[in-house]
Amino acid sequence: MPSQALLLLLLLGELLLRAQGGHRKLKMMQSAKACQKKPSVDLCSNHCSYFLKCPEENTVCCPTYCGNVCMSLQ
C-alpha cells in the first residue's frame, strides 16, 4: 500500500511539472524569435526595466548592441 501511494505521488508530480513547462517553452520560443531580429535605432530608446520586464503587451526584453531593449513578438 505505501509503495502504491508513493507511485501515485510521483505520477502526480510528473504531470504537474509537465503542465508547468509547456507554457514556458512556448513563451521562450517566441522570445527567441523576437530577439533574432536586428533592432532599429528607434528601438534603442525603448529599454527594459531593471528586472528585464517590458511595460507593453506582446514585447520581450532582448540583449542588443545598445543594451537590453523591448522588442515586439510580432
Side-chain angles (χ1 to χ4, degrees), residues 9 11 20 36 44-47 58 61 71 73:
L9 285 174
L11 178 65
Q20 289 177 345
Q36 287 177 353
C44 288
S45 62
N46 192 15
H47 286 276
N58 295 323
C61 188
M71 296 182 75
L73 290 174

Side-chain angles (χ1 to χ4, degrees), residues 21 29 63:
M29 286 177 14

Side-chain angles (χ1 to χ4, degrees), residues 1 26 32 51 68:
M1 179 70 175
L26 177 64
F51 297 104
N68 292 330

